[in-house]
């Protein structure tokens, strides 16, 4: 059973059906407050537009940095294939096939904060993926550093909304996380991912 504590910002991949009825997924931070799940998204992006109309998204609990990358940077990566999703056509929910667990959400209300919206959900169910053989793996800074790189890279992708200070902070955070990855990711696939993220950011900034 997935344990979701109050007052901690978690990372997951949110999934739902888009306006064409196709599966869509992207990384999302979320937290639990007073028994409810809260998700924040800035306006002007596809995910925000979809969450305004889709009332029952799913938060997929995932540790694999490669999944975060493929859902965050669809144009820069191979993205996901239809086989990566499982669609519950009866209830209109979308699941990532290889997620470890799922938080099934039902929208309670949306609060407008100007530049962004806060989506407040009822946690209908926590469901463990019965097809995944879960094992207890020790904490690794390799995984966390790569996911941090992806999070800050998504901020840089939306750099038009950042101040100069915020952009510089994001760039420093990527470099710090990259250096952690160099020290802790001994698998070449993960170092390839770290280098790819770094190169994508450099290309955006014209370096």
């Amino acid at each position: 059973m997935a344990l979701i504590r109050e007052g901690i910002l978690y990372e997951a991949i949110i999934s739902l059906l888009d306006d064409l009825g196709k599966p869509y997924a992207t990384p999302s931070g979320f937290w639990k407050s007073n028994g409810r799940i809260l998700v924040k998204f800035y306006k002007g992006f596809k995910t925000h537009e979809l969450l305004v109309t889709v009332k029952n998204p799913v938060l997929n609990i995932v540790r694999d940095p490669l999944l975060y990358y493929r859902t965050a940077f669809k144009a820069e990566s191979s993205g996901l294939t239809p086989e990566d999703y499982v669609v519950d056509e009866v209830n209109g929910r979308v699941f990532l096939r290889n997620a470890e667990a799922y938080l099934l959400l039902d929208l309670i209300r949306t609060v407008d904060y100007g530049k962004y919206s806060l989506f407040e959900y009822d946690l209908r169910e926590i469901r463990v993926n019965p097809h995944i053989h879960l094992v207890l793996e020790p904490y690794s800074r390799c995984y966390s550093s790569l996911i941090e790189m992806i999070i800050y890279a998504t901020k840089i992708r939306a750099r038009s909304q950042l101040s100069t200070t915020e952009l510089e902070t994001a760039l420093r955070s990527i470099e710090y996380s990259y250096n952690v990855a160099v020290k802790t990711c001994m698998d070449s696939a993960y170092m390839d991912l770290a280098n790819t993220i770094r190169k994508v950011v450099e290309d955006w900034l014209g370096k």
Side-chain angles (χ1 to χ4, degrees), residues 62-107:
V62 173
R63 285 183 290 180
D64 184 358
L66 292 170
L67 268 178
Y68 281 97
Y69 178 71
R70 291 170 63 196
T71 53
F73 302 109
K74 300 171 183 63
E76 295 82 2
S77 71
S78 58
L80 297 184
T81 68
E83 289 70 32
D84 291 316
Y85 296 99
V86 175
V87 180
D88 179 351
E89 296 183 356
V90 174
N91 297 300
R93 295 189 193 269
V94 177
F95 304 86
L96 293 186
R97 187 178 301 277
N98 292 323
E100 297 176 4
Y102 310 98
L103 308 186
L104 281 65
L105 308 179
D106 289 326
L107 183 66

Side-chain angles (χ1 to χ4, degrees), residues 47-65:
T47 307
H48 181 278
E49 296 174 359
L50 291 176
L51 289 176
V52 169
T53 57
V54 178
K55 313 299 183 184
N56 60 344
V58 173
L59 283 168
N60 299 264
I61 307 303
V62 173
R63 285 183 290 180
D64 184 358

